[in-house]
Amino acid sequence: MRNKLAETLVAKGISNNNVLNAIRTIPRHLFMDSSFEGHAYQDKAFPIAADQTISQPYTVAFQSQLLEVKPEQKILEIGTGSGYQTAVLLLLKARVYTIERQLELFKKTKIFFGKMGYRPKKMIFGDGYKGLPDQAPYDGIIVTAGAPEVPKALMSQLKIGGRLVIPVGSDEQIMTLFVRKSEKEFEKTEYGSFRFVPLLEDKN
Ligand code: SAH
């Protein structure tokens, strides 16, 4: 079923073999509620805890491909959720820092990762809008929730040459890639439209 899912993603334009191998390897059904696990290898998003969703495999593959992860790179992920995207980044051999603001999901995924032997460098409960300055700069930052605007903190925590992949917009989002060219210059490229749950800012 996973091989078939990977074939579907190839047909939709995913070409990065390392990303496709991760999709072929990761048991997505274990990242989902048991009531949906029979559908895990469809290319669809599904509900997880706390009114959030596990992203569609195509979306995960598309974002992972845009990030161009290389082994040992330091990657910051905003929106751990089920941990599926995190697992893809780990299979790409990244050093992963991941932030989740829903306590229920944070706890659940942390326990699950322990059982499964997935080892991000750090799992953080908090507001990813602010990034994670104490570990910055990052080779890549991936946001897995829809951002009404691009958080400035994330731009500032990218290495020169680093890549920020973020869906920007309220109801619908445009997948956007920022490559940091210098201290002040960012090259912006826009891709297709996607639908994510919102990136929420904790105003305190
Ligand atoms: N990559 C996850 C996506 C989950 S949906 C998966 O495929 O399972 C997006 C996640 O972003 C949700 O879990 C939501 O709680 C989280 N999120 C929203 N705003 C956030 C913020 N400001 N900081 C960290 N996580 C946030």
Side-chain angles (χ1 to χ4, degrees):
M1 284 163 96
R2 288 201 279 278
N3 285 334
K4 262 209 153 147
L5 174 60
E7 275 172 37
T8 307
L9 301 185
V10 170
K12 290 181 178 177
I14 302 298
S15 57
N16 182 307
N17 278 323
N18 296 328
V19 171
L20 290 164
N21 277 333
I23 302 282
R24 288 188 191 102
T25 309
I26 300 167
R28 186 173 187 246
H29 62 285
L30 300 180
F31 292 73
M32 293 171 47
D33 284 357
S34 51
S35 45
F36 296 106
E37 68 181 7
H39 305 289
Y41 300 104
Q42 294 175 11
D43 188 20
K44 284 186 186 160
F46 288 99
I48 50 175
D51 286 330
Q52 304 303 318
T53 54
I54 177 168
S55 296
Q56 186 183 338
Y58 173 71
T59 305
V60 172
F62 192 85
Q63 289 197 274
S64 302
Q65 183 166 292
L66 274 186
L67 206 56
E68 292 185 0
V69 180
K70 293 177 190 68
E72 294 307 313
Q73 279 189 339
K74 198 174 195 181
I75 305 290
L76 176 65
E77 177 190 38
I78 313 300
T80 316
S82 68
Y84 183 74
Q85 171 73 70
T86 320
V88 171
L89 297 170
L90 290 170
L91 261 79
L92 296 172
K93 302 192 171 72
R95 291 181 287 149
V96 183
Y97 296 79
T98 183
I99 310 180
E100 173 56 54
R101 70 177 287 285
Q102 293 281 353
L103 187 59
E104 183 187 357
L105 272 172
F106 168 76
K107 285 185 181 164
K108 193 175 167 185
T109 302
K110 197 166 182 166
I111 293 168
F112 173 66
F113 272 20
K115 281 191 203 148
M116 296 289 290
Y118 288 122
R119 291 196 182 81
K121 288 284 168 203
K122 263 194 184 169
M123 298 181 79
I124 294 122
F125 169 60
D127 180 10
Y129 235 92
K130 302 173 183 66
L132 185 63
D134 65 333
Q135 301 289 336
Y138 302 95
D139 296 292
I141 302 179
I142 176 171
V143 180
T144 74
E149 65 199 71
V150 183
K152 289 215 170 58
L154 300 185
M155 304 279 266
S156 73
Q157 290 171 31
L158 268 189
K159 275 186 196 167
I160 308 289
R163 301 165 80 82
L164 167 64
V165 176
I166 179 167
V168 185
S170 303
D171 293 341
E172 207 179 55
Q173 294 83 31
I174 305 292
M175 193 59 74
T176 310
L177 167 69
F178 291 92
V179 180
R180 189 169 202 171
K181 292 293 177 185
S182 67
E183 199 55 43
K184 294 221 167 92
E185 287 165 286
F186 293 82
E187 182 185 88
K188 176 180 174 184
T189 314
E190 293 184 330
Y191 296 85
S193 59
F194 290 79
R195 244 175 231 278
F196 286 80
V197 294
L199 180 72
L200 300 173
E201 186 174 8
D202 293 339
K203 298 202 162 104
N204 50 26

